[in-house]
Amino acid sequence: MLKTLEWTPAGVKFIDQTKLPLEEVYVTAKSHEEVADVIVTMVVRGAPAIGVAAAYGVALGAEKSTARTIEEFQPEFAKICARLAGTRPTAVNLFWAIDRMKKLFATLAAEKVSMPTARESLLAEAHAMYEEDIAACKSMGAFGGARMPAEGGVLTHCNAGALATCGYGTALGVIRSAVEQGKKIKVYADETRPFLQGARLTAWELMHDGIDTTVLCDNMAASLMRAGKIQAVVVGADRIAANGDFANKIGTYNVAILAKEHGIPFYVAAPWSTIDMETPNGEVIPIEERPAVEVTHHGGKQLTPHGVGIVNPAFDVTPAKYVTAIFTERGTLEAPYGEALKRMAGK
Ligand code: MRU
């Protein structure tokens, strides 16, 4: 299984997702600031991968600190967490992971453990999140795989694969599981303008696994659906609100509307760390605005006239009414999502 990110003695090692698919190169972040930078520049991206990267960033910050006691480290720890939390606002997994590190730190501080013990415990927590993420992907993959058609086209948007997680993937985990179950799936990967996660990353990792994959431009989905080529849609999520509305890569909302119009089931796959019971609905999910250059330029080449207005929201919100089911590691949720999420939160 390819490694999206990995703890090494030199720091946190990432496959550079800005270089794929043409170059398979790795970068090692040697400080928590460098981890924050790789998150902002999208060397690593995808909600679960961002969360675990941040947890390792916190562990790395502790590793590099010269503080002699946990009391002395406390203000530095707060700054490390704030720096990592300030990287990308939409994926709730980032805040979930940092909060988990903060909770552990509070216990360690109350116990006045030594700095070597604190470093060891923080790293062990990040490792646990890494392993739990892979297990969650496998579990939701099995739930979702069972709902995939025995044969047919499955459309996905962005990259919710191994590259967006610690391995296996959420939406692509569902597809991998369906294929493992012997289903004959033909994947249609939206190219996903402007960062091209579908064209570059989904296509690359599915081809790596020998899964039948076809890339389409984002504006081709409607006609493929009308032509009967798509039997299901499965996407990931960056944040699922308490009523089932969810944020995902810009363009997901378009696909959801198209699926409904064509009577095609539309599924979401996400780990429980993506569910934000504190956010009542999609309208209050913070949406990241990315730099205009991602739209104006491609591969260093300018595409648009100088001075033209540009919008670049990285995510959109799809209302729960478009969602056929949500796959999580705890099971499959169906409408009404508010009640279903509350029930499952108690598990
Ligand atoms: O901007 P990105 O590439 O981080 O956006 C990624 C997505 O929107 C994914 O679909 C989402 O994070 C789920 S990844 C399992």
Side-chain angles (χ1 to χ4, degrees), residues 9 28 30-31 45 78 84 94 109 113 115 195 228 250 259 282 294 335 344:
T28 300
K30 298 190 181 69
S31 65
R45 30 69 49 203
L84 289 159
L94 174 70
V113 302
M115 272 308 281
F195 211 71
I250 190 76
E294 290 176 358
M344 210 173 261

Side-chain angles (χ1 to χ4, degrees), residues 24 26 52 66 69-70 86 96 98 117 150 152 161 176 207 237 240 248 266 276 283 296 299 326 333 341:
E24 191 177 327
Y26 292 81
V52 176
T66 53
T69 64
I70 193 153
W96 168 87
I98 294 170
T117 303
R176 285 194 165 94
M207 286 180 78
I240 300 175
N248 191 48
F266 179 92
D276 179 7
E283 276 171 42
T296 58
I326 301 174
L333 296 140
L341 282 163

Side-chain angles (χ1 to χ4, degrees), residues 127-261:
H127 281 323
M129 286 186 219
Y130 182 97
E131 296 301 334
E132 286 167 26
D133 185 55
I134 298 174
C137 287
K138 292 261 169 82
S139 171
M140 84 185 75
F143 289 121
R147 296 285 289 266
M148 291 295 106
E151 185 168 1
V154 175
L155 185 134
T156 189
H157 191 73
C158 193
N159 172 269
L163 288 166
T165 61
C166 297
Y168 203 69
T170 58
L172 298 193
V174 167
I175 288 169
R176 285 194 165 94
S177 164
V179 170
E180 283 160 19
Q181 289 168 32
K183 295 185 172 183
K184 293 189 176 57
I185 305 290
K186 183 173 177 65
V187 179
Y188 286 94
D190 273 351
E191 67 172 353
T192 318
R193 275 281 292 157
F195 211 71
L196 305 180
Q197 289 93 331
R200 298 187 302 106
L201 309 176
T202 294
W204 183 78
E205 71 162 86
L206 290 181
M207 286 180 78
H208 188 271
D209 279 10
I211 295 176
D212 181 355
T213 306
T214 298
V215 170
L216 60 144
C217 299
D218 297 341
N219 52 4
M220 297 171 183
S223 74
L224 258 68
M225 286 182 181
R226 196 158 78 176
K229 292 194 186 297
I230 313 292
Q231 278 60 53
V233 176
V234 60
V235 297
D238 283 80
R239 190 185 294 236
I240 300 175
N243 71 342
D245 295 350
F246 76 101
N248 191 48
K249 180 52 52 194
I250 190 76
T252 302
Y253 178 36
N254 305 37
V255 179
I257 295 170
L258 294 177
K260 191 171 179 89
E261 175 64 23

